[in-house]
């Protein structure tokens, strides 16, 4: 499937400091994890305010599936995410 730009929104935008922004992505199609972590999946992510370290919650409401990602890199207007790992 493909990224749907209208389904991505910033839901938390902390003021100041290095706190991450939080985005919500309605993965309605749904795209597989391997697709979402592909290079530049969020084609307009930077335009919508994504920066490295921000969090993206992908939700499929039809199947009650949810996964959290973290912005790993940005290039031009696009953002690439990865599944975060626990702090140990």
């Amino acid at each position: 499937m493909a990224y749907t730009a209208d389904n991505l929104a910033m839901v938390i935008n902390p003021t100041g400091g290095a706190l991450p922004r939080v985005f919500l992505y309605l993965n309605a199609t749904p795209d597989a994890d391997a697709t979402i972590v592909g290079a530049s999946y969020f084609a307009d992510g930077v335009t919508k305010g994504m920066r490295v370290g921000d969090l993206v919650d992908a939700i499929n409401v039809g199947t009650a599936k949810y996964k959290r990602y973290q912005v790993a890199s940005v290039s031009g207007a696009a953002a690439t995410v990865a599944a975060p790992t626990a702090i140990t």
Side-chain angles (χ1 to χ4, degrees):
M1 296 305 191
Y3 164 67
T4 305
D6 289 342
N7 291 355
L8 178 69
M10 185 187 314
V11 293
I12 298 175
N13 184 10
T15 56
L19 294 172
R21 297 172 179 170
V22 178
F23 291 81
L24 181 62
Y25 179 61
L26 175 60
N27 186 19
T29 14
D31 283 339
D33 183 59
T35 301
I36 294 173
V37 299
S40 301
Y41 177 80
F42 292 99
D44 64 346
V46 173
T47 304
K48 290 190 172 189
M50 283 184 170
R51 57 188 180 198
V52 172
D54 287 347
L55 302 172
V56 181
D57 292 331
I59 299 172
N60 181 303
V61 294
T63 60
K65 291 186 178 180
Y66 159 88
K67 186 155 186 185
R68 175 162 272 187
Y69 297 91
Q70 191 167 26
V71 178
S73 65
V74 294
S75 178
T80 300
V81 297
T85 56
I87 297 173
T88 58

